Amino acid sequence: PSTPFPPPTTHVMAEPTDVSINPRHLPSAQDEVLSVGQASVSRSVMLAETPSTPVVGGASSWMPSPALFSPTFSNLKDLDVEKLKKPGAARQEYRRKLLRGATVLIVMGGYSGKKFIYERLKELGVKVVVMDQPESIWAAEAEKGTIHAFMELDFHDYSAIFENAMKLVESAGFEFNAVTTYYEDAVPLAARIAVTLGLDTNPVEACDRARNKNTTRAVMQAAGLPTPAHATVRSAEDLEAACKVVGFPAILKPSFGASSLGVCRVENEEEAKVKFEQIMSECTPEVDVVFAQGTELVMEEYYDGDEFDVDMVLSEGEVVYAKVSDNYACWEPWFQETGTCCPSQYPEDKQAEIVQLATDTTLALGFKAGAFHVELKYTSRGPRMIEVNARMGGVSVREMNLQAWGVDLVEEHVMTALKIPARPYVPEKPLRFIAGIGINAPYSGTVTSGATWIDFVEKDPLVTYLEIYQKAGQKVTGPEKGMPDWLAEVRVMSNDGMAECLHYLRDLVEVKLKGRVPVEPTDPKAKRDFFFPSQSHPFC
């Protein structure tokens, strides 16, 4: 078939999602339900039952031994895996079957919106054991059967976390075939556990280099890759010196941060001092457990240009998948995401440059396997790296790559963790076009409406997803007070081209929602309409 999934005529409406452990976990809804006629099925179940991607070289290009039509993970050791190192529908289905029966430890399951990952792994026959904090949702999900088992671990004491994790693993009674994570905070710990258990994984050093943005810059510089002027900031004295090294405008952000938390642009030394105090007060382990890994900051030169994501899959040190998505301009000085679209609408030659820098940096850090979410800009001087995230991207990333290119990053990542060669089939042209927008609070105040301000979009056939993140009565932050909160997220999909998607989103925000902000302002002078990045790529 020319398209491996059903046409986007289904309609998606997610239930309001609970606020997870901390505010960084919003937006959190990826636990999607599709309404197909009168029946409701999970998206992951539907995809599992749809036809596979086309077979390269025809249906008879490769077939497994008749004795292994229904293999399990235990058969992997007896196979000639070289025969699996080619793309194609038959091989991909065989690789999926090899996942069955594997036991995988997932370190930190993440927020509730990541449940679709573990539902998909369960469908593939993987026995998932999640190690996470006592207040996480995963104990309840183990009781429901979404995951095989739950192991409780306190992640706040970072100095003792590895020792405590190993005690849990050794007493649990499981024989793990792989240890991995789909969650940024847990990448270094997952690698340490895997190495201690004697499992082949990405080097611990590579994971540490990627998690610390200062170290990432040092590795890039040593490898001869383009690197911004940068400096480590731990104190007010460090900040003063960093201002002289980096200059302005500059970016100030946590070295161990995630999800743009604490990232801001500063224009001069006085503003840098104010933002430094604000970030240091907010980025603590009490606010977010990720900062148990460290609270130092990095100051680096500000990059002009358009922003992009490269979603990659590495298998045995080889890039087997790399596709670019366009990120919309952020509402500076903060860097809360405003939306993305896939496939990229940027010129192909520049996309190739972006992918090359993403590849060079990821390999220079020392990685050899897994799904990666790499963030870059294409500046007036060419492509420049923002950061390498050594895990599958969150929010809409899996869905966008699946719909646009037919590649499921959930299954590709777990295959690499289990040493099953990943070779996803990638069509020459995109299967369809998908775009989403995160509607930020334009000012601080109190939400006055639940869903009525935006629920009219449900009727539009282009809309595949609507999530409303704030309830009536909730307080929200606008850009005048800090990184703005998301009020809602909308995704649209088209078979005909990206222009249709982008036009819909622009018309939605600039016309249909004009004057309809559902927030009573704390300061009436701050009142304004929604922000829309109309003067930047891909909208102009």
Side-chain angles (χ1 to χ4, degrees):
S2 59
T3 56
F5 308 117
T9 55
T10 54
H11 181 67
V12 181
M13 277 296 297
E15 292 297 320
T17 306
D18 63 304
V19 177
S20 298
I21 297 172
N22 61 57
R24 177 165 62 84
H25 295 157
L26 288 173
S28 62
Q30 286 184 303
D31 184 17
E32 304 170 17
V33 173
L34 301 186
S35 298
V36 187
Q38 298 300 312
S40 292
V41 295
S42 73
R43 181 179 295 274
S44 54
V45 169
M46 182 188 73
L47 292 174
E49 294 175 350
T50 54
S52 300
T53 48
V55 177
V56 177
S60 61
S61 61
W62 177 81
M63 291 296 289
S65 164
L68 291 174
F69 276 129
S70 297
T72 63
F73 181 73
S74 61
N75 296 124
L76 182 62
K77 63 183 182 299
D78 301 319
L79 293 177
D80 179 3
V81 295
E82 292 299 318
K83 293 182 178 179
L84 293 175
K85 293 182 179 180
K86 291 182 180 179
R91 288 182 176 87
Q92 187 68 4
E93 189 58 33
Y94 197 74
R95 283 187 283 265
R96 290 186 184 120
K97 289 181 178 180
L98 285 171
L99 293 170
R100 296 185 302 181
T103 302
V104 177
L105 174 62
I106 301 290
V107 182
M108 294 191 81
Y111 50 83
S112 60
K114 289 186 179 287
K115 189 165 65 171
F116 74 94
I117 295 172
Y118 312 112
E119 291 173 336
R120 178 60 178 149
L121 293 179
K122 181 181 178 182
E123 290 164 5
L124 292 167
V126 179
K127 290 185 278 189
V128 172
V129 179
V130 172
M131 175 188 289
D132 211 326
Q133 301 186 92
E135 64 266 37
S136 75
I137 68 166
W138 302 109
E141 292 302 324
E143 292 180 3
K144 295 176 185 176
T146 307
I147 59 175
H148 184 65
F150 172 72
M151 300 166 65
E152 182 180 305
L153 180 68
D154 184 358
F155 282 76
H156 290 87
D157 185 1
Y158 204 70
S159 63
I161 192 170
F162 172 66
E163 181 181 349
N164 293 336
M166 287 310 303
K167 288 178 180 176
L168 265 180
V169 169
E170 290 165 0
S171 64
F174 294 110
E175 183 178 344
F176 292 113
N177 304 117
V179 180
T180 190
T181 185
Y182 290 84
Y183 197 57
E184 179 72 16
D185 305 9
V187 169
L189 179 58
R192 283 169 167 79
I193 295 172
V195 168
T196 305
L197 293 177
L199 299 170
D200 190 14
T201 188
N202 283 312
V204 169
E205 297 81 5
C207 299
D208 288 346
R209 292 170 192 142
R211 279 297 297 132
N212 187 326
K213 295 173 180 61
N214 282 301
T215 308
T216 299
R217 296 306 186 199
V219 170
M220 292 182 66
Q221 197 164 17
L225 298 172
T227 310
H230 63 282
T232 302
V233 178
R234 298 185 180 90
S235 65
E237 291 75 20
D238 289 344
L239 179 66
E240 185 176 345
C243 290
K244 295 176 182 177
V245 171
V246 176
F248 296 96
I251 298 294
L252 198 59
K253 60 185 178 182
S255 290
F256 293 93
S259 302
S260 300
L261 188 63
V263 181
C264 66
R265 172 174 168 164
V266 291
E267 301 294 335
N268 52 58
E269 188 169 348
E270 287 305 309
E271 187 176 6
K273 291 177 181 178
V274 172
K275 296 299 184 184
F276 169 76
E277 294 296 335
Q278 182 179 352
I279 295 171
M280 292 299 285
S281 66
E282 294 176 352
C283 297
T284 66
E286 291 73 29
V287 173
D288 194 314
V289 69
V290 69
F291 296 113
Q293 300 177 34
T295 57
E296 68 182 44
L297 308 183
V298 59
M299 187 176 186
E300 58 187 36
E301 67 176 285
Y302 171 80
Y303 283 146
D304 63 0
D306 301 311
E307 186 172 332
F308 304 89
D309 293 333
V310 178
D311 292 295
M312 300 171 55
V313 177
L314 284 181
S315 182
E316 299 176 308
E318 179 183 347
V319 177
V320 296
Y321 176 76
K323 287 296 180 181
V324 181
S325 299
D326 299 336
N327 284 343
Y328 313 157
C330 297
W331 199 353
E332 298 182 8
W334 305 101
F335 289 86
Q336 175 66 288
E337 295 178 2
T338 57
T340 188
C341 67
C342 184
S344 173
Q345 302 302 289
Y346 225 49
E348 289 189 6
D349 59 336
K350 293 185 177 181
Q351 286 190 55
E353 293 181 59
I354 292 167
V355 170
Q356 189 62 59
L357 181 57
T359 299
D360 291 343
T361 305
T362 304
L363 295 177
L365 288 168
F367 289 110
K368 57 184 181 179
F372 296 83
H373 185 69
V374 187
E375 300 172 31
L376 310 92
K377 273 192 167 184
Y378 199 97
T379 73
S380 54
R381 295 174 288 171
R384 293 294 186 270
M385 177 63 57
I386 298 175
E387 63 185 21
V388 175
N389 301 291
R391 42 79 185 168
M392 184 186 79
V395 193
S396 61
V397 167
R398 185 253 188 163
E399 180 69 7
M400 288 199 168
N401 283 270
L402 189 57
Q403 294 292 352
W405 298 109
V407 175
D408 188 342
L409 296 175
V410 170
E411 64 182 41
E412 299 300 336
H413 179 73
V414 78
M415 284 177 188
T416 65
L418 290 164
K419 305 308 158 195
I420 299 170
R423 294 296 188 278
Y425 170 78
V426 184
E428 291 185 9
K429 295 182 178 181
L431 305 174
R432 54 183 59 86
F433 304 84
I434 182 168
I437 189 161
I439 301 175
N440 293 334
Y443 47 81
S444 301
T446 304
V447 177
T448 58
S449 172
T452 55
W453 65 280
I454 196 172
D455 59 2
F456 63 88
V457 304
E458 296 177 52
K459 299 176 182 178
D460 197 292
L462 278 182
V463 175
T464 61
Y465 183 93
L466 168 63
E467 178 72 9
I468 299 164
Y469 294 113
Q470 312 295 341
K471 299 177 181 178
Q474 287 185 310
K475 301 288 186 182
V476 293
T477 299
E480 81 282 6
K481 295 291 185 181
M483 191 164 76
D485 292 319
W486 274 21
L487 296 180
E489 180 188 3
V490 178
R491 294 180 209 157
V492 294
M493 189 158 58
S494 171
N495 285 324
D496 300 324
M498 188 62 74
E500 184 177 25
C501 296
L502 298 179
H503 174 77
Y504 179 90
L505 294 178
R506 186 170 189 167
D507 182 69
L508 171 66
V509 177
E510 294 189 333
V511 179
K512 294 185 174 69
L513 292 177
K514 187 176 180 63
R516 298 186 63 172
V517 179
V519 178
E520 183 65 30
T522 303
D523 178 3
K525 295 180 181 178
K527 191 170 184 178
R528 57 182 138 179
D529 275 315
F530 289 115
F531 168 78
F532 189 82
S534 56
Q535 300 306 310
S536 62
H537 178 78
F539 296 98
C540 69

